Amino acid sequence: MKFKLDLKPEVNHHNRLLELCKIVSLIGGLYLVNFPALAQINLAILTDIIGNNNQVFIEDQVAEVNEKATLGQEIRTEKARAQIDFNTGANGRMGENSKITVGQCAEVQEGVLIASGPANGCILGFATGVQGTTYVLNVDKNNQTNVSTGTIRVLEGKIKLLSKNDLNNPNPLTIEAGQKVSSLTPDLTLSQISIEKMTKQEYEAIIIGPLFQGFKTPLLHQDKINDVCKVLYGNCRQVGGEKPVRGLW
């Protein structure tokens, strides 16, 4: 695994050291990802903001459309949603109150990210390997117990799932369109994870909800979702065809 350190010349020595420490920590956390068919994610470009333009941040600095987050940097939303393009050719969208870190994968720290195209994702110690997939990563934090749980939902295509607790498993879980895994926590192994089928209502709530409302450009493979939904469930509501539905996130 190769990571390119790209620090600006004017950054002082102290900031260089902090950035290096962050990247070393990131590498340590993401070493489990080993899907050589996909290029490493090391750049995310903010391409659209829906909602409050002052509530999307890169490294705690207010970010604007066309700004870039590089390796090890964090993108965060508050009362806004954001669309991003990855250097791999994939794109994605973040819901409100969400946080991701740019690394070999797009690592969701909290909130929700939908990704489409060649973009591996990470969530609570699990990593996805994808090929042209549209899927949703969600991390919920219980403020009372301070425990985070994760859910992965596949809308189109399929993903392979690995766990850092089961790195030598030659048979990663395969999660296909219309399926999900939920209640993920870092201490689980693959053998403890059950694949469930999404209901039609759950699938439709995603494709007519905030992740598909108001954005200027479609996600990659977005045109395939209606056909997939019809195959899985029969007649379905059109992608983005109604007002946002809240409740999943």
Side-chain angles (χ1 to χ4, degrees):
M1 182 184 302
K2 296 181 180 179
F3 287 84
K4 182 179 180 182
L5 185 61
D6 185 20
L7 299 177
K8 295 181 179 180
E10 63 271 19
V11 177
N12 62 36
H13 177 74
H14 179 68
N15 287 340
R16 283 176 180 269
L17 183 60
L18 289 177
E19 190 73 12
L20 181 59
C21 288
K22 177 184 290 188
I23 291 174
V24 169
S25 174
L26 182 69
I27 293 171
L30 302 184
Y31 73 95
L32 68 155
V33 189
N34 185 24
F35 295 100
L38 291 183
Q40 166 186 311
I41 293 176
N42 54 29
L43 180 69
I45 303 172
L46 185 61
T47 58
D48 200 1
I49 296 174
I50 307 298
N52 192 324
N53 285 342
N54 294 320
Q55 296 202 18
V56 178
F57 305 85
I58 296 177
E59 290 293 283
D60 287 326
Q61 299 295 316
V62 174
E64 299 178 352
V65 170
N66 295 324
E67 288 196 40
K68 301 175 181 179
T70 56
L71 181 65
Q73 291 190 317
E74 178 185 280
I75 305 173
R76 178 171 57 88
T77 64
E78 292 183 358
K79 296 299 182 182
R81 293 169 285 141
Q83 181 155 324
I84 48 182
D85 286 354
F86 297 108
N87 63 291
T88 59
N91 62 2
R93 292 170 180 166
M94 299 173 63
E96 293 183 2
N97 301 308
S98 299
K99 183 189 301 182
I100 70 169
T101 301
V102 177
Q104 179 175 358
C105 60
E107 184 172 15
V108 180
Q109 306 291 341
E110 60 185 66
V112 61
L113 169 74
I114 186 170
S116 190
N120 288 336
C122 294
I123 179 174
L124 299 177
F126 294 89
T128 67
V130 306
Q131 292 285 354
T133 306
T134 303
Y135 66 110
V136 182
L137 297 168
N138 178 219
V139 174
D140 284 317
K141 185 174 182 179
N142 187 316
N143 293 326
Q144 294 181 340
T145 63
N146 204 33
V147 174
S148 295
T149 57
T151 303
I152 302 174
R153 300 176 175 92
V154 179
L155 299 182
E156 182 269 331
K158 60 185 177 181
I159 66 172
K160 303 289 186 179
L161 186 67
L162 286 178
S163 167
K164 70 177 182 181
N165 296 318
D166 206 4
L167 292 176
N168 296 320
N169 192 325
N171 300 305
L173 288 182
T174 299
I175 308 167
E176 299 184 347
Q179 295 180 337
K180 68 177 182 179
V181 293
S182 57
S183 301
L184 296 176
T185 55
D187 59 321
L188 292 178
T189 63
L190 291 183
S191 62
Q192 295 173 304
I193 298 173
S194 298
I195 298 175
E196 308 167 64
K197 183 177 180 180
M198 282 192 287
T199 65
K200 177 181 179 181
Q201 290 74 19
E202 185 175 3
Y203 192 102
E204 286 184 326
I206 297 172
I207 65 175
I208 66 172
L211 296 174
F212 287 93
Q213 290 285 339
F215 292 95
K216 297 175 183 177
T217 57
L219 291 173
L220 293 176
H221 312 300
Q222 182 170 314
D223 58 335
K224 299 179 180 180
I225 292 176
N226 284 326
D227 291 336
V228 172
C229 192
K230 289 178 182 178
V231 169
L232 291 173
Y233 306 107
N235 293 329
C236 293
R237 301 179 187 180
Q238 293 294 307
V239 171
E242 299 184 22
K243 293 182 179 180
V245 172
R246 298 189 181 274
L248 282 179
W249 309 291

Coordinates of all heavy atoms in Angstrom, one line a residue, residues 54-145:
N54 N -22.5 27.5 4.8 CA -21.4 27.7 5.8 C -21.3 26.6 6.8 O -20.6 26.7 7.8 CB -21.7 29.0 6.7 CG -21.6 30.3 5.8 OD1 -20.7 30.4 4.9 ND2 -22.5 31.2 6.0
Q55 N -22.0 25.4 6.5 CA -21.9 24.3 7.4 C -21.4 23.0 6.8 O -21.8 21.9 7.1 CB -23.3 24.1 8.0 CG -23.7 25.3 8.9 CD -24.8 25.0 9.9 OE1 -25.0 23.8 10.3 NE2 -25.4 26.0 10.5
V56 N -20.5 23.2 5.8 CA -19.7 22.1 5.3 C -18.2 22.5 5.6 O -17.8 23.6 5.3 CB -19.9 21.8 3.8 CG1 -19.0 20.7 3.3 CG2 -21.4 21.5 3.5
F57 N -17.5 21.5 6.1 CA -16.1 21.9 6.6 C -15.1 20.9 6.1 O -15.4 19.7 6.0 CB -16.1 21.9 8.1 CG -17.1 22.8 8.8 CD1 -18.4 22.3 9.0 CD2 -16.8 24.1 9.2 CE1 -19.3 23.1 9.6 CE2 -17.7 24.9 9.8 CZ -19.0 24.4 10.0
I58 N -13.9 21.4 5.8 CA -12.7 20.5 5.6 C -11.7 20.9 6.6 O -11.3 22.0 6.7 CB -12.1 20.7 4.2 CG1 -13.2 20.3 3.1 CG2 -10.8 19.9 4.0 CD1 -12.7 20.5 1.7
E59 N -11.4 19.9 7.5 CA -10.5 20.2 8.6 C -10.9 21.4 9.4 O -10.1 22.2 9.8 CB -9.1 20.4 8.1 CG -8.4 19.1 7.5 CD -8.2 18.1 8.6 OE1 -7.2 18.2 9.3 OE2 -8.9 17.1 8.6
D60 N -12.2 21.4 9.7 CA -12.8 22.4 10.6 C -12.8 23.9 10.0 O -13.0 24.8 10.7 CB -12.1 22.5 12.0 CG -12.6 21.3 12.8 OD1 -13.7 20.8 12.7 OD2 -11.8 20.8 13.6
Q61 N -12.4 24.0 8.7 CA -12.5 25.2 8.0 C -13.7 25.2 7.1 O -13.9 24.2 6.4 CB -11.2 25.5 7.2 CG -10.0 25.6 8.1 CD -10.0 26.7 9.0 OE1 -10.3 27.9 8.6 NE2 -9.6 26.5 10.3
V62 N -14.5 26.3 7.1 CA -15.7 26.3 6.2 C -15.2 26.1 4.8 O -14.2 26.7 4.3 CB -16.4 27.7 6.3 CG1 -17.5 27.8 5.3 CG2 -17.0 27.8 7.7
A63 N -15.9 25.2 4.1 CA -15.5 24.8 2.7 C -16.5 25.3 1.7 O -17.7 25.4 2.0 CB -15.3 23.3 2.6
E64 N -16.0 25.5 0.5 CA -16.9 25.9 -0.6 C -16.8 24.9 -1.7 O -15.9 24.1 -1.8 CB -16.4 27.3 -1.1 CG -16.5 28.4 -0.1 CD -16.1 29.8 -0.6 OE1 -15.5 29.8 -1.7 OE2 -16.2 30.8 0.1
V65 N -17.7 25.0 -2.7 CA -17.7 24.1 -3.8 C -16.4 24.3 -4.6 O -15.8 25.4 -4.7 CB -18.9 24.5 -4.8 CG1 -18.7 23.7 -6.1 CG2 -20.2 24.1 -4.1
N66 N -15.8 23.2 -5.0 CA -14.6 23.0 -5.7 C -13.3 22.9 -4.8 O -12.2 22.7 -5.3 CB -14.3 24.1 -6.8 CG -15.3 24.0 -7.9 OD1 -15.7 22.9 -8.3 ND2 -15.7 25.2 -8.4
E67 N -13.5 23.1 -3.5 CA -12.4 22.8 -2.6 C -12.1 21.3 -2.4 O -13.0 20.5 -2.6 CB -12.7 23.5 -1.2 CG -12.7 25.0 -1.2 CD -12.5 25.6 0.2 OE1 -11.8 25.0 1.0 OE2 -13.2 26.6 0.4
K68 N -10.9 21.0 -2.1 CA -10.4 19.7 -2.1 C -10.0 19.2 -0.7 O -9.4 20.0 0.1 CB -9.2 19.5 -3.0 CG -9.5 19.9 -4.5 CD -8.3 19.8 -5.3 CE -8.6 20.3 -6.8 NZ -7.4 20.3 -7.6
A69 N -10.3 17.9 -0.4 CA -9.8 17.3 0.8 C -8.8 16.2 0.4 O -9.1 15.4 -0.5 CB -10.9 16.7 1.6
T70 N -7.6 16.2 0.9 CA -6.6 15.3 0.5 C -6.4 14.2 1.6 O -7.1 14.2 2.6 CB -5.3 16.0 0.2 OG1 -4.9 16.8 1.4 CG2 -5.4 17.0 -0.9
L71 N -5.4 13.3 1.3 CA -5.2 12.2 2.2 C -5.1 12.5 3.7 O -4.3 13.4 4.0 CB -3.9 11.5 1.7 CG -3.5 10.2 2.5 CD1 -4.5 9.1 2.3 CD2 -2.1 9.8 2.1
G72 N -5.9 11.9 4.5 CA -5.9 12.1 5.9 C -6.8 13.2 6.4 O -7.0 13.4 7.6
Q73 N -7.4 14.0 5.5 CA -8.2 15.1 5.9 C -9.7 14.7 6.1 O -10.2 13.8 5.5 CB -8.1 16.3 4.9 CG -6.8 16.9 4.8 CD -6.8 18.2 4.0 OE1 -7.3 18.3 2.9 NE2 -6.1 19.2 4.5
E74 N -10.4 15.5 6.9 CA -11.7 15.2 7.3 C -12.7 16.2 6.6 O -12.4 17.4 6.5 CB -11.8 15.3 8.8 CG -13.2 15.1 9.4 CD -13.2 15.4 10.9 OE1 -12.8 14.5 11.6 OE2 -13.6 16.5 11.2
I75 N -13.8 15.6 6.1 CA -14.9 16.4 5.6 C -16.1 16.2 6.6 O -16.4 15.1 6.9 CB -15.3 16.0 4.2 CG1 -14.1 16.0 3.2 CG2 -16.5 16.9 3.7 CD1 -14.5 15.5 1.9
R76 N -16.7 17.4 6.9 CA -17.8 17.3 7.9 C -19.0 18.2 7.5 O -18.7 19.3 7.0 CB -17.3 17.7 9.3 CG -18.3 17.7 10.4 CD -17.6 18.0 11.8 NE -16.8 19.2 11.8 CZ -17.3 20.4 12.1 NH1 -18.6 20.5 12.4 NH2 -16.5 21.4 12.2
T77 N -20.2 17.7 7.7 CA -21.4 18.5 7.5 C -22.1 18.8 8.8 O -22.1 17.9 9.7 CB -22.3 17.9 6.5 OG1 -22.8 16.6 7.0 CG2 -21.6 17.6 5.2
E78 N -22.8 19.9 8.9 CA -23.7 20.1 9.9 C -25.1 20.2 9.3 O -25.7 19.2 8.9 CB -23.3 21.4 10.7 CG -22.0 21.1 11.5 CD -21.6 22.3 12.4 OE1 -22.3 23.4 12.4 OE2 -20.6 22.2 13.1
K79 N -25.7 21.4 9.2 CA -27.0 21.6 8.6 C -26.9 21.8 7.1 O -27.4 22.8 6.5 CB -27.8 22.7 9.3 CG -28.1 22.5 10.7 CD -29.0 21.3 11.0 CE -29.3 21.2 12.4 NZ -30.1 19.9 12.7
A80 N -26.3 20.8 6.5 CA -26.1 20.9 5.0 C -25.8 19.4 4.5 O -25.3 18.6 5.3 CB -25.0 21.8 4.6
R81 N -26.1 19.2 3.2 CA -25.7 18.0 2.6 C -24.6 18.3 1.5 O -24.6 19.5 1.0 CB -26.9 17.3 1.9 CG -27.9 16.8 2.9 CD -29.2 16.4 2.3 NE -30.0 17.6 1.9 CZ -30.7 17.7 0.8 NH1 -30.7 16.7 -0.1 NH2 -31.4 18.7 0.5
A82 N -23.8 17.4 1.2 CA -22.7 17.7 0.2 C -22.5 16.5 -0.8 O -22.7 15.4 -0.4 CB -21.4 18.0 1.0
Q83 N -22.2 16.9 -2.0 CA -21.8 15.9 -3.0 C -20.3 16.1 -3.2 O -19.7 17.2 -3.3 CB -22.5 16.1 -4.3 CG -22.1 15.0 -5.4 CD -23.2 14.8 -6.4 OE1 -24.4 14.9 -6.1 NE2 -22.8 14.6 -7.6
I84 N -19.6 14.9 -3.4 CA -18.1 14.9 -3.5 C -17.8 14.0 -4.7 O -18.4 13.0 -4.9 CB -17.4 14.5 -2.3 CG1 -18.0 13.2 -1.7 CG2 -17.4 15.6 -1.2 CD1 -17.4 12.8 -0.4
D85 N -16.7 14.4 -5.4 CA -16.1 13.5 -6.4 C -14.8 13.0 -5.9 O -14.0 13.7 -5.3 CB -15.8 14.3 -7.7 CG -17.1 14.6 -8.5 OD1 -18.2 14.1 -8.1 OD2 -17.0 15.3 -9.5
F86 N -14.5 11.7 -6.1 CA -13.3 11.1 -5.7 C -12.3 10.9 -6.8 O -12.8 10.8 -8.0 CB -13.5 9.7 -5.0 CG -14.4 9.7 -3.8 CD1 -15.7 9.2 -3.8 CD2 -13.9 10.2 -2.6 CE1 -16.5 9.3 -2.7 CE2 -14.7 10.2 -1.5 CZ -16.0 9.7 -1.5
N87 N -11.0 10.9 -6.5 CA -10.0 10.7 -7.6 C -10.1 9.4 -8.4 O -9.6 9.3 -9.5 CB -8.6 10.9 -7.0 CG -8.3 9.8 -6.0 OD1 -8.8 9.7 -5.0 ND2 -7.4 8.9 -6.4
T88 N -10.8 8.4 -7.8 CA -11.0 7.1 -8.5 C -12.0 7.2 -9.6 O -12.2 6.2 -10.3 CB -11.4 6.1 -7.5 OG1 -12.7 6.5 -6.9 CG2 -10.4 5.9 -6.4
G89 N -12.8 8.3 -9.7 CA -13.8 8.4 -10.7 C -15.2 8.1 -10.1 O -16.2 8.3 -10.8
A90 N -15.2 7.8 -8.8 CA -16.5 7.6 -8.1 C -17.0 8.9 -7.6 O -16.3 9.9 -7.6 CB -16.3 6.6 -7.0
N91 N -18.3 9.0 -7.2 CA -18.7 10.1 -6.4 C -19.6 9.7 -5.3 O -19.9 8.5 -5.1 CB -19.5 11.1 -7.4 CG -20.7 10.6 -8.0 OD1 -21.1 9.4 -7.8 ND2 -21.3 11.4 -8.9
G92 N -20.0 10.6 -4.4 CA -20.8 10.3 -3.3 C -21.5 11.5 -2.7 O -21.3 12.6 -3.2
R93 N -22.3 11.3 -1.7 CA -23.1 12.3 -1.1 C -23.1 12.1 0.4 O -23.2 10.9 0.9 CB -24.5 12.4 -1.6 CG -24.6 12.9 -3.0 CD -26.0 12.7 -3.6 NE -26.1 13.1 -5.0 CZ -27.1 12.9 -5.8 NH1 -28.1 12.2 -5.3 NH2 -27.1 13.3 -7.0
M94 N -22.9 13.2 1.2 CA -23.0 13.1 2.6 C -24.3 13.7 3.1 O -24.7 14.8 2.6 CB -21.8 13.9 3.2 CG -20.5 13.3 2.9 SD -19.1 14.4 3.4 CE -19.3 14.3 5.2
G95 N -24.9 13.1 4.1 CA -26.1 13.7 4.7 C -25.7 14.7 5.7 O -24.5 15.0 6.0
E96 N -26.7 15.3 6.4 CA -26.4 16.3 7.4 C -25.8 15.6 8.6 O -26.0 14.4 8.8 CB -27.8 16.9 7.9 CG -28.4 17.8 6.8 CD -29.7 18.5 7.3 OE1 -30.0 18.3 8.5 OE2 -30.3 19.2 6.6
N97 N -25.0 16.4 9.3 CA -24.3 15.9 10.6 C -23.5 14.6 10.3 O -23.7 13.6 11.0 CB -25.4 15.7 11.7 CG -26.1 17.0 12.0 OD1 -25.5 18.0 12.3 ND2 -27.4 16.9 12.0
S98 N -22.7 14.7 9.3 CA -21.9 13.5 8.9 C -20.4 13.9 8.8 O -20.1 15.1 8.7 CB -22.4 13.0 7.5 OG -23.7 12.6 7.6
K99 N -19.6 12.9 9.0 CA -18.2 13.1 9.0 C -17.4 11.9 8.3 O -17.7 10.8 8.7 CB -17.7 13.3 10.4 CG -16.2 13.6 10.6 CD -15.8 13.5 12.0 CE -16.6 14.4 12.9 NZ -16.1 14.3 14.4
I100 N -16.6 12.2 7.3 CA -15.8 11.2 6.7 C -14.3 11.6 6.7 O -14.0 12.8 6.7 CB -16.2 10.9 5.3 CG1 -15.9 12.0 4.3 CG2 -17.7 10.5 5.2 CD1 -16.1 11.6 2.8
T101 N -13.4 10.6 6.6 CA -12.0 10.9 6.5 C -11.5 10.3 5.1 O -11.9 9.2 4.8 CB -11.2 10.2 7.6 OG1 -11.6 10.7 8.8 CG2 -9.7 10.5 7.5
V102 N -10.8 11.1 4.4 CA -10.2 10.6 3.1 C -9.0 9.7 3.3 O -8.0 10.2 3.9 CB -9.9 11.8 2.2 CG1 -9.3 11.4 0.9 CG2 -11.1 12.7 2.0
G103 N -9.1 8.5 2.9 CA -7.9 7.6 3.0 C -7.9 6.7 1.8 O -8.5 7.0 0.8
Q104 N -7.3 5.5 1.9 CA -7.5 4.5 0.9 C -8.9 4.2 0.6 O -9.3 3.9 -0.5 CB -6.7 3.2 1.2 CG -6.9 2.2 0.1 CD -6.0 0.9 0.3 OE1 -5.3 0.8 1.3 NE2 -6.1 0.0 -0.6
C105 N -9.7 4.3 1.7 CA -11.2 4.2 1.5 C -11.8 5.5 2.0 O -11.1 6.4 2.6 CB -11.7 3.1 2.4 SG -11.3 3.2 4.1
A106 N -13.1 5.7 1.8 CA -13.8 6.8 2.4 C -14.3 6.3 3.8 O -15.2 5.5 3.8 CB -14.9 7.3 1.5
E107 N -13.7 6.7 4.9 CA -14.0 6.2 6.2 C -15.1 7.1 6.8 O -14.9 8.2 7.1 CB -12.8 6.1 7.0 CG -13.1 5.5 8.4 CD -11.8 5.2 9.2 OE1 -10.8 5.8 8.9 OE2 -11.9 4.5 10.2
V108 N -16.2 6.5 7.1 CA -17.3 7.2 7.7 C -17.1 7.2 9.3 O -17.1 6.1 9.9 CB -18.7 6.6 7.4 CG1 -19.8 7.3 8.0 CG2 -18.9 6.6 5.8
Q109 N -17.0 8.3 9.9 CA -16.8 8.4 11.3 C -18.2 8.6 12.0 O -18.4 8.0 13.1 CB -16.0 9.7 11.7 CG -14.7 9.7 11.0 CD -13.7 8.6 11.5 OE1 -13.9 8.1 12.6 NE2 -12.7 8.4 10.7
E110 N -19.1 9.3 11.3 CA -20.5 9.4 11.9 C -21.4 9.9 10.7 O -20.9 10.5 9.7 CB -20.6 10.4 13.1 CG -20.1 11.8 12.8 CD -20.1 12.6 14.0 OE1 -19.3 12.4 14.9 OE2 -20.9 13.6 14.1
G111 N -22.7 9.7 10.9 CA -23.6 10.1 9.9 C -23.7 9.1 8.7 O -23.5 7.9 8.9
V112 N -24.0 9.7 7.5 CA -24.3 8.8 6.4 C -23.5 9.3 5.1 O -23.3 10.5 4.9 CB -25.8 8.8 6.1 CG1 -26.3 10.2 5.8 CG2 -26.1 7.8 5.0
L113 N -23.0 8.3 4.4 CA -22.4 8.6 3.1 C -23.0 7.6 2.1 O -23.0 6.4 2.4 CB -20.9 8.4 3.2 CG -20.1 8.3 1.8 CD1 -20.0 9.7 1.2 CD2 -18.7 7.7 2.0
I114 N -23.4 8.1 0.9 CA -23.7 7.2 -0.2 C -22.6 7.3 -1.2 O -22.1 8.4 -1.5 CB -25.1 7.5 -0.8 CG1 -25.4 6.4 -1.9 CG2 -25.2 8.9 -1.4 CD1 -26.9 6.5 -2.4
A115 N -22.1 6.2 -1.7 CA -21.0 6.2 -2.7 C -21.4 5.4 -3.9 O -22.1 4.4 -3.8 CB -19.8 5.6 -2.1
S116 N -21.0 5.8 -5.1 CA -21.3 5.1 -6.3 C -20.1 5.1 -7.2 O -19.4 6.1 -7.4 CB -22.5 5.8 -7.0 OG -23.0 5.0 -8.0
G117 N -19.8 4.0 -7.8 CA -18.6 3.8 -8.6 C -17.5 3.2 -7.8 O -17.7 2.6 -6.7
P118 N -16.3 3.3 -8.3 CA -15.1 2.6 -7.7 C -14.6 3.3 -6.4 O -13.7 4.0 -6.5 CB -14.1 2.6 -8.8 CG -14.4 3.7 -9.6 CD -15.9 3.9 -9.6
A119 N -15.3 3.1 -5.3 CA -15.0 3.8 -4.1 C -15.1 2.8 -2.9 O -16.3 2.5 -2.5 CB -15.8 5.0 -3.8
N120 N -14.0 2.3 -2.4 CA -14.1 1.5 -1.2 C -14.5 2.4 0.0 O -14.1 3.5 0.1 CB -12.7 0.8 -0.9 CG -12.4 -0.3 -1.9 OD1 -13.3 -0.8 -2.5 ND2 -11.1 -0.5 -2.1
G121 N -15.2 1.8 0.9 CA -15.6 2.5 2.1 C -15.2 1.8 3.4 O -14.9 0.5 3.3
C122 N -15.0 2.5 4.5 CA -14.7 1.9 5.8 C -15.7 2.4 6.8 O -16.1 3.5 6.8 CB -13.3 2.3 6.2 SG -12.0 1.6 5.2
I123 N -16.0 1.5 7.8 CA -16.9 1.8 8.8 C -16.7 1.0 10.0 O -16.7 -0.3 9.9 CB -18.4 1.6 8.2 CG1 -19.4 1.9 9.3 CG2 -18.6 0.2 7.7 CD1 -20.9 1.9 8.7
L124 N -16.3 1.6 11.1 CA -16.2 0.9 12.4 C -15.3 -0.4 12.3 O -15.6 -1.4 12.9 CB -17.5 0.6 13.0 CG -18.5 1.7 13.3 CD1 -19.8 1.3 13.8 CD2 -17.8 2.7 14.3
G125 N -14.2 -0.3 11.6 CA -13.3 -1.4 11.5 C -13.6 -2.4 10.4 O -12.9 -3.4 10.3
F126 N -14.6 -2.1 9.6 CA -14.9 -2.9 8.4 C -14.6 -2.2 7.2 O -14.7 -1.0 7.1 CB -16.4 -3.3 8.5 CG -16.8 -4.2 9.6 CD1 -17.2 -3.7 10.8 CD2 -16.7 -5.6 9.5 CE1 -17.5 -4.5 11.9 CE2 -17.1 -6.4 10.5 CZ -17.5 -5.9 11.7
A127 N -14.3 -2.9 6.1 CA -13.9 -2.3 4.8 C -14.7 -3.0 3.7 O -14.9 -4.2 3.7 CB -12.4 -2.5 4.6
T128 N -15.1 -2.2 2.8 CA -15.9 -2.7 1.6 C -15.0 -2.7 0.4 O -14.2 -1.8 0.2 CB -17.1 -1.9 1.3 OG1 -16.7 -0.6 0.9 CG2 -18.0 -1.8 2.6
G129 N -15.1 -3.7 -0.4 CA -14.5 -3.7 -1.8 C -15.6 -3.7 -2.8 O -16.5 -4.5 -2.7
V130 N -15.5 -2.8 -3.7 CA -16.6 -2.6 -4.7 C -16.2 -2.6 -6.1 O -15.0 -2.4 -6.4 CB -17.4 -1.3 -4.4 CG1 -17.8 -1.2 -2.9 CG2 -16.5 -0.1 -4.7
Q131 N -17.1 -2.8 -7.0 CA -16.9 -2.7 -8.4 C -18.2 -2.1 -9.0 O -19.2 -2.8 -9.3 CB -16.6 -4.1 -9.1 CG -15.3 -4.7 -8.7 CD -14.1 -4.0 -9.4 OE1 -14.3 -3.2 -10.2 NE2 -12.9 -4.4 -9.0
G132 N -18.2 -0.8 -9.2 CA -19.3 -0.1 -9.8 C -20.6 -0.2 -9.0 O -21.7 -0.3 -9.5
T133 N -20.4 -0.1 -7.7 CA -21.6 -0.3 -6.8 C -22.1 1.0 -6.2 O -21.4 2.0 -6.1 CB -21.1 -1.2 -5.6 OG1 -20.5 -2.4 -6.0 CG2 -22.2 -1.5 -4.7
T134 N -23.4 1.0 -5.9 CA -24.0 2.1 -5.2 C -24.5 1.6 -3.9 O -25.3 0.7 -3.8 CB -25.2 2.7 -6.0 OG1 -24.8 3.1 -7.3 CG2 -25.8 3.9 -5.3
Y135 N -23.9 2.2 -2.8 CA -24.2 1.6 -1.5 C -24.2 2.8 -0.4 O -23.6 3.8 -0.7 CB -23.3 0.5 -1.1 CG -21.9 0.9 -0.9 CD1 -21.3 0.9 0.3 CD2 -21.1 1.3 -2.0 CE1 -19.9 1.2 0.5 CE2 -19.7 1.6 -1.8 CZ -19.2 1.6 -0.6 OH -17.9 1.9 -0.4
V136 N -24.8 2.5 0.7 CA -24.9 3.5 1.8 C -24.2 3.0 3.0 O -24.5 1.9 3.5 CB -26.4 3.8 2.1 CG1 -26.5 4.9 3.1 CG2 -27.1 4.3 0.8
L137 N -23.4 3.9 3.6 CA -22.7 3.6 4.9 C -23.3 4.6 5.9 O -23.4 5.8 5.7 CB -21.2 3.8 4.8 CG -20.4 2.9 3.8 CD1 -19.0 3.5 3.6 CD2 -20.4 1.5 4.3
N138 N -23.6 4.0 7.1 CA -24.3 4.8 8.1 C -23.7 4.5 9.5 O -23.6 3.3 9.8 CB -25.8 4.6 8.0 CG -26.6 5.3 9.1 OD1 -27.5 4.8 9.7 ND2 -26.2 6.6 9.4
V139 N -23.3 5.5 10.2 CA -22.8 5.3 11.6 C -23.7 6.1 12.5 O -23.8 7.3 12.4 CB -21.3 5.7 11.8 CG1 -20.9 5.6 13.2 CG2 -20.4 4.8 10.9
D140 N -24.3 5.4 13.5 CA -25.1 6.1 14.5 C -24.4 6.0 15.8 O -23.9 5.0 16.2 CB -26.5 5.4 14.6 CG -27.4 5.8 13.5 OD1 -27.5 6.9 13.1 OD2 -28.1 4.8 13.0
K141 N -24.4 7.1 16.6 CA -23.8 7.2 17.9 C -24.9 7.4 18.9 O -25.6 8.3 18.9 CB -22.7 8.3 18.0 CG -22.0 8.3 19.3 CD -20.9 9.3 19.2 CE -20.0 9.3 20.5 NZ -18.9 10.3 20.5
N142 N -24.9 6.5 19.9 CA -25.8 6.6 21.0 C -25.1 7.6 22.0 O -24.1 7.3 22.7 CB -26.0 5.2 21.7 CG -27.1 5.3 22.8 OD1 -27.1 6.2 23.6 ND2 -28.0 4.3 22.8
N143 N -25.7 8.8 22.2 CA -25.1 9.8 23.0 C -25.2 9.4 24.5 O -24.4 9.9 25.3 CB -25.9 11.1 22.8 CG -25.6 11.7 21.5 OD1 -24.5 11.5 20.9 ND2 -26.6 12.4 20.9
Q144 N -26.0 8.5 24.9 CA -26.1 8.1 26.3 C -25.0 7.0 26.6 O -24.4 7.1 27.7 CB -27.5 7.5 26.6 CG -28.6 8.6 26.5 CD -30.0 8.0 26.9 OE1 -30.2 6.8 26.8 NE2 -30.9 8.9 27.2
T145 N -24.8 6.1 25.7 CA -23.8 5.1 26.0 C -22.5 5.3 25.3 O -21.5 4.6 25.6 CB -24.3 3.7 25.5 OG1 -24.5 3.8 24.0 CG2 -25.7 3.4 26.1

